Amino acid sequence: MICEGCKVLIVTIVKKGWSQKVIEGSRQAGASGGTIIPGRGTGIHEMQTLLGLRIEPEKEIILTIVNPEQADTILEAIVQAADLEKPGSGIAFVINLDKVAGRVHMFTKEGEE
């Protein structure tokens, strides 16, 4: 099943170890889950050195697909859970998805097959 233009993607990038708080916050706000991907930062404020070696901070990227009408509520829950209002805590943004396939449970009502 392919759904066209019916979902949005919330991308959240936080410090390593904070992804569980993001997932918990988004689930409490109505999301069904998320995908966590490891990453590393390269921003100008993240370039630190130790004994002359550059340290690139580890990050976690959380991908959450939701209905457009849920996006604001879930995004606000993520901001609160990950304390994103604090500088250096991370970032979250929403992307409109043109097509989504493979997540059948997101397109069927409970009890349907």
Side-chain angles (χ1 to χ4, degrees), residues 14-86:
V14 292
K15 294 177 184 178
K16 184 177 180 183
W18 282 74
S19 62
Q20 196 57 40
K21 290 183 180 193
V22 171
I23 294 290
E24 288 170 7
S26 66
R27 279 193 171 166
Q28 289 175 359
S32 61
T35 300
I36 302 167
I37 303 170
R40 57 189 177 145
T42 61
I44 60 170
H45 298 293
E46 296 172 340
M47 296 298 174
Q48 300 174 3
T49 59
L50 177 64
L51 301 173
L53 299 173
R54 194 169 83 196
I55 301 170
E56 293 177 346
E58 293 183 47
K59 302 289 183 182
E60 291 175 326
I61 304 157
I62 303 94
L63 307 177
T64 310
I65 298 175
V66 301
N67 293 319
E69 60 272 8
Q70 295 176 293
D72 289 341
T73 302
I74 294 171
L75 181 61
E76 184 57 36
I78 289 170
V79 168
Q80 295 301 315
D83 207 11
L84 295 183
E85 296 293 337
K86 251 190 216 176

